[in-house]
């Protein structure tokens, strides 16, 4: 009897803890969404109210009075091209590292991994100097290239793992039939590793959409993505109106990745648990 | 043609070259550029006065109280944030292990802090959570009768503030990995221990934890590298302030380079950072190997 009671108590505590964890993880983001929809008077109301008349004033003001559309385009441009480049050349490199016996492979793998471990500021500052010297400061193609730094090691590492998991029997058979290794790569490995490709793409999209440091240092007003202008709201924060604008901008910058994460959570989990973040 | 031939460099090169060239341009070249520049006294305000000074910048760095403070802040922040996120992440993973209704959705929702932009997370905490008068944290504290501090205005609470934000973002990361690791622990192992009269805590500490220790060590490694490179959250929350209370090495290097334009000095600082994180990574990897951990490195 006592044991059963204890088990029920344990179970209740567990449920309470889960709800608490969920509250801590999700409520702040939910609160940000509410803040974006509040009038200035509502924003400075203490204690806060959960039910209020929502307003779109901040969001319309952002779309009318700022460059947000251009920032969105920049975010999409940087994300799209850096992800495509990284996934294509990273997958190729992963194939070579998975399937060919080459001397110095361990060194290459170690090098790729260590790039991911070095803090971004370590690359950011010299890249700033190099790009200024070449006169391409703020250039969007230079930015795309610097963004690939974030993904390439992850793509190479994860894709190598996915390729390693695919048995070589099919390729062996194809080689007997006279296939080239390009054919084996395109017709056998790529289709078999499709879930892996989705995983690395999802991860890379999130990393580049969220990137801030490299853009802060290397982008200019014309090329900066959505994350950088958020710093502009930091002056005069006491003022309720700016809180609303700030929350709206932050939500607009977060919604795409939240949607990707909700739809692709399986792949996201796969990517994160396979390591190298 | 067999897959087992030796030295396939000629065949592998076309596949490897694009990635290696890209990494050479955006990683290796900047690193050497940085290393080289760190030997110069070089202020962008007076670029013509650039002059070779050898290891002078490094000596200056390690005798500068601001840099030493930054080193201390970084280590304190890293250890505290990594420890808290590891513990909380592991506990959360244990909580959601046994199936319950809505588990899939809960697992997805719990990772939201990890996937929103870190700048947004920083702003969220700075403004909507930790603001003294209108922030939620002080509101909840006032409900239970505690007057909350002006979080980011005082050194000690500001330090705590950036740790809280970092833990909020990265606990889901630990949780996700631990959750997957726990899925790999066979149920019958735990069951039979329970049969023998072991308590839940005993099973967790003496059976489950040792089984996933290699993964735990790699999670530790990833956590250290992410916390060590953290810039966004701190930049947006405090920019290193008040005073230098939250000036971690990333922020110190940024301020030195892009606020004071002391480029040689800043480059010495980032090279030192790269050196320190390599050292930490090597220590963790060695410990893992000694523990007989996984062979993730040469899988």
């Amino acid at each position: 009897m006592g044991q059963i009671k204890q088990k029920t108590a344990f179970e209740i505590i567990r449920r309470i803890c889960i709800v608490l964890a969920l509250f801590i993880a999700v409520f702040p983001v939910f609160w940000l969404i509410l803040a974006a929809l509040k009038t200035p008077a509502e924003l400075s109301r203490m204690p806060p109210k959960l039910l209020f008349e929502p307003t779109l004033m901040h969001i319309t003001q952002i779309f009318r009075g700022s460059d947000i559309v251009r920032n969105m385009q920049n975010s999409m441009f940087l994300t799209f091209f850096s992800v495509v480049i990284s996934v294509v050349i990273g997958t190729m490199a992963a194939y070579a590292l998975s399937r060919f016996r080459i001397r110095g492979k361990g060194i290459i793998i170690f090098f790729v991994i260590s790039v991911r471990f070095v803090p971004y500021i370590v690359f950011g500052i010299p890249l700033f100097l190099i790009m200024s010297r070449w006169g391409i400061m703020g250039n969007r193609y230079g930015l795309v290239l610097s963004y690939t730094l974030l993904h390439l090691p992850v793509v190479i590492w994860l894709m190598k793992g996915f390729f390693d998991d695919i048995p070589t029997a099919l390729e062996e058979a194809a080689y007997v039939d006279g296939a080239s290794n390009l054919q084996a790569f395109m017709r056998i490995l790529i289709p078999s590793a499709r879930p892996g490709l989705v995983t690395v793409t999802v991860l890379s999209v999130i990393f580049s959409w969220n990137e801030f440091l490299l853009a802060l240092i290397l982008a200019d007003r014309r090329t900066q993505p959505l994350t950088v202008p958020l710093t502009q709201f930091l002056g005069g924060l006491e003022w309720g109106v700016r809180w609303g604008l700030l929350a709206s901008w932050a939500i607009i910058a977060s919604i795409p990745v939240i949607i990707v994460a909700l739809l692709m959570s399986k792949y996201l989990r796969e990517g994160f648990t396979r390591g190298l973040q | 043609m067999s897959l087992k031939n030796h030295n396939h460099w000629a065949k592998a090169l076309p596949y490897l070259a694009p990635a290696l060239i890209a990494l050479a341009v955006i990683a290796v070249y900047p690193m050497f550029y940085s290393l080289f520049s760190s030997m110069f006294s070089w202020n962008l305000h007076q670029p013509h006065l650039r002059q070779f000074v050898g290891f002078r910048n490094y000596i200056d760095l390690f005798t500068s109280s601001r840099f030493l403070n930054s080193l201390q802040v970084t280590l304190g922040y890293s250890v505290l944030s990594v420890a808290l996120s590891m513990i909380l992440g592991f506990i959360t993973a244990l909580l959601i292990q046994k199936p319950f209704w809505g588990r899939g959705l809960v697992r997805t929702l719990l990772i939201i802090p990890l996937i929103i932009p870190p700048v947004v997370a920083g702003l969220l905490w700075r403004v909507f959570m930790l603001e003294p008068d209108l922030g939620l944290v002080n509101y909840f504290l006032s409900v239970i009768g505690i007057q909350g501090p002006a979080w980011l205005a005082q050194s000690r609470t500001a330090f705590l503030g950036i740790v809280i934000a970092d833990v909020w973002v990265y606990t889901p990361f630990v949780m996700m990995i631990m959750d997957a690791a726990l899925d790999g622990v066979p149920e019958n192992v735990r069951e039979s221990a329970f049969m023998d009269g072991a308590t839940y805590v005993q099973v967790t500490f003496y059976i489950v934890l040792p089984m996933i220790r290699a993964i735990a060590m790699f999670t530790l490694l990833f956590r250290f590298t992410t916390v060590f490179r953290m810039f966004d959250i701190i930049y947006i929350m405090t920019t290193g302030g008040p005073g230098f209370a939250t000036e971690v090495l990333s922020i110190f290097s940024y301020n030195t380079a892009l606020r004071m334009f002391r480029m040689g000095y800043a480059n010495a600082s980032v090279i030192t950072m790269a050196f320190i994180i390599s050292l930490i990574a090597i220590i963790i990897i060695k410990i893992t190997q000694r523990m007989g951990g996984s062979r993730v490195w040469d899988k």
Side-chain angles (χ1 to χ4, degrees):
Chain A
M1 258 326 255
Q3 213 176 2
I4 292 170
K5 235 183 216 163
Q6 203 185 342
K7 240 184 174 165
T8 326
F10 193 76
E11 193 55 28
I12 290 169
I13 293 172
R14 187 173 80 110
R15 298 280 158 108
I16 292 172
C17 288
I18 292 172
V19 171
L20 193 68
L22 210 52
F23 178 80
I24 294 171
V26 178
F27 192 74
V29 179
F30 179 65
W31 192 246
L32 190 68
I33 297 174
L34 291 190
L37 303 174
K38 283 178 179 173
T39 60
E42 213 45 73
L43 276 163
S44 52
R45 183 196 296 276
M46 242 341 162
K49 277 200 327 199
L50 267 178
L51 291 172
F52 59 90
E53 187 105 352
T55 170
L56 289 178
M57 61 180 283
H58 305 297
I59 292 171
T60 41
Q61 196 182 333
I62 282 181
F63 276 95
R64 283 212 195 109
S66 76
D67 279 341
I68 196 165
V69 175
R70 188 201 285 171
N71 297 130
M72 278 174 175
Q73 288 166 344
N74 290 338
S75 279
M76 287 187 235
F77 180 91
L78 291 171
T79 301
F80 180 79
F81 285 101
S82 70
V83 171
V84 168
I85 293 173
S86 311
V87 170
V88 170
I89 68 178
T91 303
M92 285 161 59
Y95 166 66
L97 291 172
S98 170
R99 287 299 194 258
F100 294 115
R101 290 218 167 178
I102 49 180
R103 207 164 292 159
K105 188 197 278 186
I107 295 168
I108 296 175
I109 293 173
F110 180 77
F111 161 69
V112 168
I113 290 172
S114 39
V115 167
R116 187 61 188 169
F117 283 177
V118 173
Y120 303 144
I121 188 83
V122 176
F123 301 114
I125 289 173
L127 281 173
F128 169 81
L129 294 167
I130 293 165
M131 282 175 78
S132 330
R133 209 171 72 167
W134 291 355
I136 55 165
M137 200 55 205
N139 180 289
R140 52 179 90 245
Y141 300 100
L143 265 170
V144 164
L145 200 60
S146 76
Y147 269 40
T148 59
L149 189 67
L150 311 174
H151 322 315
L152 256 184
V154 181
V155 174
I156 295 176
W157 176 249
L158 293 186
M159 285 312 297
K160 179 183 176 295
F162 285 114
F163 286 144
D164 287 346
D165 290 347
I166 300 170
T168 54
L170 267 177
E171 293 154 81
E172 300 273 11
Y175 286 139
V176 169
D177 293 342
S180 68
N181 52 46
L182 181 65
Q183 283 168 325
F185 177 53
M186 298 298 287
R187 302 239 176 95
I188 297 171
L189 281 164
I190 293 282
S192 318
R194 207 172 284 150
L197 284 167
V198 177
T199 299
V200 294
T201 307
V202 168
L203 271 186
S204 306
V205 164
I206 289 178
F207 289 149
S208 33
W209 189 267
N210 290 351
E211 174 52 25
F212 173 72
L213 169 60
L214 291 174
L216 179 73
I217 297 180
L218 305 175
D220 61 23
R221 288 189 67 85
R222 288 170 301 112
T223 53
Q224 65 192 9
L226 272 173
T227 46
V228 177
L230 276 168
T231 55
Q232 289 166 8
F233 295 100
L234 289 179
L237 272 180
E238 325 68 52
W239 195 31
V241 175
R242 290 182 71 91
W243 279 41
L245 293 174
L246 172 66
S248 304
W249 194 294
I251 284 302
I252 294 169
S254 310
I255 277 177
V257 278
I258 292 180
I259 291 173
V260 169
L262 293 181
L263 294 179
M264 301 288 200
S265 68
K266 194 185 92 188
Y267 296 100
L268 206 59
R269 200 190 327 271
E270 173 89 13
F272 274 109
T273 43
R274 276 176 173 253
L276 201 66
Q277 307 312 324
Chain B
M1 191 171 83
S2 151
L3 292 172
K4 294 189 180 83
N5 283 349
H6 279 281
N7 231 354
H8 279 171
W9 256 110
K11 272 176 253 152
L13 198 60
Y15 296 97
L16 268 178
L20 291 185
I21 291 170
L23 284 173
V25 174
I26 51 176
V28 181
Y29 176 55
M31 277 288 258
F32 277 101
Y33 194 93
S34 206
L35 195 61
F36 181 74
S37 307
S38 73
M39 306 282 180
F40 285 83
S41 165
W42 180 18
N43 192 312
L44 282 192
H45 286 310
Q46 298 146 312
H48 53 284
L49 294 181
R50 185 175 149 151
Q51 167 183 50
F52 184 79
V53 292
F55 288 98
R56 189 57 204 271
N57 285 323
Y58 292 90
I59 297 169
D60 286 353
L61 215 50
F62 279 92
T63 50
S64 146
S65 58
R66 185 170 171 185
F67 175 78
L68 293 175
N69 165 71
S70 173
L71 197 60
Q72 202 181 338
V73 171
T74 310
L75 291 179
Y77 166 71
S78 303
V79 170
L80 200 56
S81 166
V82 168
L84 285 173
S85 63
M86 290 288 288
I87 295 167
L88 292 173
F90 184 61
I91 293 175
T92 319
L94 286 174
L95 283 175
I96 59 169
Q97 256 301 293
K98 263 200 301 182
F100 55 89
W101 186 83
R103 178 166 171 241
L105 185 63
V106 168
R107 272 158 60 148
T108 303
L109 290 176
L110 282 176
I111 61 171
I112 282 182
L114 182 66
I115 53 96
I116 62 169
V119 221
V120 170
L123 274 172
L124 179 60
W125 278 92
R126 170 174 174 165
V127 178
F128 297 95
M129 298 293 122
L130 296 179
E131 210 279 337
D133 298 321
L134 299 172
L136 271 186
V137 171
N138 280 4
Y139 170 70
F140 284 129
L141 287 177
S142 75
V143 169
I144 55 170
I146 298 172
Q147 162 134 44
W151 286 92
L152 300 178
Q154 297 153 8
S155 304
R156 197 166 291 185
T157 47
F159 179 78
L160 215 56
I162 60 166
V163 170
I164 292 172
D166 194 85
V167 170
W168 184 74
V169 170
Y170 283 105
T171 296
F173 171 73
V174 178
M175 177 211 76
M176 208 165 18
I177 299 181
M178 291 299 162
D179 186 31
L182 289 172
D183 283 343
V185 175
E187 192 52 42
N188 58 357
V189 174
R190 271 184 280 192
E191 287 301 329
S192 60
F194 284 129
M195 290 293 187
D196 293 342
T199 65
Y200 182 79
V201 175
Q202 282 172 329
V203 171
T204 306
F205 271 92
Y206 297 116
I207 295 172
V208 175
L209 258 181
M211 287 183 83
I212 62 168
R213 68 174 176 215
I215 299 174
M217 285 306 283
F218 277 99
T219 316
L220 190 71
L221 177 61
F222 298 139
R223 275 303 288 123
F224 258 107
T225 55
T226 45
V227 81
F228 209 77
R229 69 171 173 237
M230 179 43 70
F231 177 87
D232 311 9
I233 292 177
I234 302 169
Y235 181 85
I236 213 83
M237 282 180 80
T238 64
T239 330
F244 303 116
T246 56
E247 195 180 58
V248 294
L249 288 172
S250 287
I251 303 279
F252 170 84
S253 308
Y254 176 86
N255 286 340
T256 311
L258 291 136
R259 297 243 156 105
M260 301 189 284
F261 295 107
R262 296 179 62 187
M263 288 303 174
Y265 197 55
N267 277 310
S269 165
V270 295
I271 291 293
T272 310
M273 279 182 80
F275 186 76
I276 295 172
I277 191 63
S278 313
L279 211 64
I280 294 176
I282 289 170
I283 292 171
I284 297 178
I285 292 166
K286 285 280 174 231
I287 295 174
T288 313
Q289 282 171 344
R290 187 155 304 172
M291 281 169 32
S294 81
R295 26 173 208 108
V296 171
W297 243 231
D298 42 26
K299 192 157 116 184

